[in-house]
């Protein structure tokens, strides 16, 4: 059977190979005194809090399971707008909010709405691989621009200017970013957006980890820069609803009808049960729980990053959000008899029963030296992971 060119252009998600190997080892090590510790998983180790689970059960019990409007439940769009007002002091009318089947559907919809075949979209390298694949799926061309530690692994206005060409449609940014957990300096984000606006382009800003910002200097939404900036967000990370597949877009109001037409045809609507559950995310009790969890993620970061540094696994930029550490593992390569982070990860898995994520998925800019650690795990497991790494180092 002939596979489409579009499908052939999408690279494999290499980290899944690590996940399969880790799952097999976990089965073999079940009941042993050294189970596999998963530091490769990019999702909170917390699940949806009680009020959210109760709201889902209530929706099922009451039969509130039929289609919603393609743009999402009006009440949920209002609640999301209220969160921006209360948390960030930014006015985001419900009319600009489009609820989607996860941030993945949000990115898919916005790329289909705004990108034509051959359009180029600038993005940082390293960066989350699926973001560039959504551009490819819309027959656009992702242009990966190496971003250094000095730039917080983010695009700068100077680099956007120097790489802007005739086919450039805009930029796709992520702040905080996966895999680095770093955000764009607010003034630099303003300069980037001003430059893109001057050229008649689009600024797409992935903010799915925004709720998990740990430093006040960075915990601001880019939506304060104007109604023409487009934000992608999700209930997965801060709101601990990964498997519920619910996200949203904030877009200029003039773009909403086009997105509605696309959503009606591609998805009909997001999961209605998940939407009813998500209404409870914004109750005071749930928000207080999310803030307690955010504090735990920050405490884990503050323990784990210095521990990695002591072991020679250097983290060039301290993450200011999310739950990742982007660490240079090259000083360990000779010790483990490897010459890249891909082989390093499998050696660490085999010898220490620690599952990590190699840099290979995240681009080409020195990614063969780097691994991503996820701190979305208990403090006890993080301490045990450090002890195993210390033993491995010898």
């Amino acid at each position: 059977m002939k596979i489409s060119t579009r499908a052939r252009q999408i690279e494999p998600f290499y980290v899944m190979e690590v996940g399969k190997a880790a799952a097999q080892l976990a089965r073999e090590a079940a009941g042993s005194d050294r189970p596999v510790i998963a530091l490769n998983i990019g999702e909170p180790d917390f699940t949806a809090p009680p009020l959210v689970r109760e709201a889902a059960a209530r929706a099922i019990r009451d039969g509130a399971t039929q289609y919603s409007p393609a743009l999402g439940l009006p009440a949920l769009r209002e609640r999301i707008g209220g969160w921006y007002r209360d948390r960030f002091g930014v006015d985001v009318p419900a009319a600009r909010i489009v609820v989607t089947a996860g941030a993945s559907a949000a990115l898919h919809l916005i790329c289909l709405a705004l990108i034509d075949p051959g359009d180029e979209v600038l993005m940082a390298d390293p960066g989350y691989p699926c973001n560039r694949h959504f551009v490819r799926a819309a027959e656009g061309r992702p242009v990966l621009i190496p971003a250094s530690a000095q730039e917080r692994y983010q695009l700068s206005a100077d680099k956007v200017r120097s790489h802007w060409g005739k086919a450039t449609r805009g930029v796709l940014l992520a702040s905080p970013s996966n895999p680095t957990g770093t955000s764009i300096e607010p003034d630099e984000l303003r300069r980037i957006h001003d430059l893109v606006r001057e050229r008649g382009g689009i600024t797409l800003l992935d903010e799915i980890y925004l709720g998990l910002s740990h430093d006040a200097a960075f915990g601001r939404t880019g939506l304060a820069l104007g109604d023409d900036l487009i934000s992608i967000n999700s209930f997965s990370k801060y709101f601990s609803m990964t498997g519920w597949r619910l996200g949203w877009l904030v877009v200029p109001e003039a773009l909403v009808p086009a997105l509605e037409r696309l959503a009606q045809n591609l998805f009909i609507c997001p999961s209605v049960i998940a939407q009813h559950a998500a209404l409870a995310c914004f109750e005071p009790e749930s928000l207080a729980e999310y803030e307690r969890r955010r504090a735990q993620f920050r405490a884990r970061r503050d323990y784990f990053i210095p521990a990695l540094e002591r072991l020679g696994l250097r983290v060039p930029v301290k993450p200011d959000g999310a739950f990742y550490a982007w660490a240079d593992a090259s000083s360990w390569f000779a010790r483990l008899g490897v010459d890249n982070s891909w082989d390093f990860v499998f050696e660490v898995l085999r010898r220490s029963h620690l599952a990590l994520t190699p840099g290979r998925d995240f681009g080409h800019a020195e990614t063969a030296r780097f691994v991503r650690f996820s701190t979305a795990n208990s403090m006890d497991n993080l301490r045990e992971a450090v002890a195993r790494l210390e033993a491995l180092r010898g």
Side-chain angles (χ1 to χ4, degrees):
M1 182 177 294
K2 183 179 180 293
I3 305 299
S4 72
T5 301
R6 181 186 304 105
R8 292 198 305 271
Q9 288 176 341
I10 303 299
E11 300 170 60
F13 208 169
Y14 294 107
V15 70
M16 297 302 182
E17 296 303 313
V18 180
K20 286 189 285 187
Q24 176 61 35
L25 185 58
R27 287 191 291 270
E28 296 170 0
S32 75
D33 59 355
R34 201 170 64 155
V36 172
I37 298 176
L39 302 182
N40 61 319
I41 306 221
E43 70 174 338
D45 51 319
F46 305 107
T47 61
L51 291 185
V52 175
R53 300 197 302 270
E54 291 166 11
R58 187 164 56 249
I60 294 171
R61 185 185 65 240
D62 294 347
T65 57
Q66 295 179 305
Y67 294 141
S68 76
L71 298 175
L73 293 171
L76 183 56
R77 297 167 74 195
E78 290 284 352
R79 289 283 184 96
I80 294 169
W83 182 67
Y84 280 110
R85 182 188 61 249
D86 298 340
R87 175 76 179 265
F88 304 105
V90 176
D91 180 29
V92 180
R96 293 179 53 208
I97 296 169
V98 177
V99 181
T100 60
S104 295
L107 280 157
H108 189 44
L109 287 170
I110 201 65
C111 287
L112 291 177
L114 295 177
I115 295 172
D116 281 322
D119 283 350
E120 294 182 350
V121 179
L122 310 182
M123 54 187 70
D125 180 355
Y128 185 57
C130 296
N131 287 3
R132 62 181 184 264
H133 296 327
F134 284 115
V135 172
R136 283 201 180 96
E139 299 185 59
R141 178 174 171 259
V143 177
L144 303 187
I145 302 172
S148 66
Q150 290 71 30
E151 297 162 314
R152 303 182 55 76
Y153 298 116
Q154 296 283 357
L155 290 188
S156 65
D158 287 344
K159 282 193 171 174
V160 171
R161 184 180 294 107
S162 65
H163 285 81
W164 196 280
K166 292 181 179 179
T168 304
R169 182 71 177 99
V171 297
L172 174 50
L173 313 169
S175 185
S177 167
N178 177 5
T180 64
T182 61
S183 298
I184 305 172
E185 294 274 3
D187 288 344
E188 194 64 31
L189 178 59
R190 180 182 298 277
R191 283 189 287 269
I192 292 171
H193 184 50
D194 287 346
L195 188 154
V196 172
R197 181 190 284 144
E198 288 168 7
R199 284 159 172 72
I202 54 172
T203 301
L204 306 177
L205 182 59
D206 173 348
E207 295 190 306
I208 71 170
Y209 293 99
L210 178 63
L212 290 175
S213 291
H214 305 311
D215 298 339
F218 297 105
R220 314 175 196 175
T221 175
L223 292 168
L225 297 179
D227 293 355
D228 55 342
L229 183 142
I230 294 166
S231 174
I232 299 99
N233 216 313
S234 173
F235 283 94
S236 289
K237 309 303 181 179
Y238 176 70
F239 295 103
S240 304
M241 293 179 70
T242 51
W244 302 69
R245 307 314 303 135
L246 198 64
W248 74 86
L249 287 160
V250 180
V251 300
E253 197 165 343
L255 187 55
V256 170
L259 290 166
E260 184 174 22
R261 291 195 302 273
L262 286 167
Q264 287 169 337
N265 282 277
L266 295 177
F267 301 104
I268 300 180
C269 70
S271 164
V272 172
I273 296 169
Q275 290 187 72
H276 281 293
L279 288 167
C281 291
F282 303 101
E283 294 297 324
E285 179 182 325
S286 297
L287 289 171
E289 176 60 23
Y290 291 132
E291 287 300 289
R292 283 191 290 271
R293 295 175 179 185
R294 183 164 70 102
Q296 289 187 55
F297 281 126
R298 178 171 182 166
R300 294 169 183 180
R301 176 200 68 171
D302 291 346
Y303 162 73
F304 197 68
I305 302 296
L308 290 181
E309 295 275 359
R310 288 194 303 271
L311 292 168
L313 294 163
R314 190 171 66 89
V315 180
V317 185
K318 183 179 181 180
D320 58 83
F323 34 69
Y324 302 121
W326 184 240
D328 185 345
S330 59
S331 67
W332 280 53
F333 288 173
R335 178 182 292 110
L336 297 188
V338 301
D339 61 7
N340 61 77
S341 62
W342 176 262
D343 292 334
F344 169 86
V345 161
F346 282 96
E347 278 299 298
V348 171
L349 179 61
R350 182 178 67 84
R351 298 190 194 190
S352 299
H353 288 196
L354 299 176
L356 316 177
T357 301
R360 184 175 183 179
D361 272 320
F362 301 105
H364 308 289
E366 299 186 325
T367 52
R369 292 170 42 200
F370 280 82
V371 295
R372 188 195 74 180
F373 290 85
S374 169
T375 54
N377 213 313
S378 70
M379 191 68 86
D380 285 345
N381 279 345
L382 293 178
R383 291 193 179 99
E384 173 62 20
V386 169
R388 293 186 192 181
L389 288 170
E390 286 175 337
L392 181 60
R393 185 180 64 165

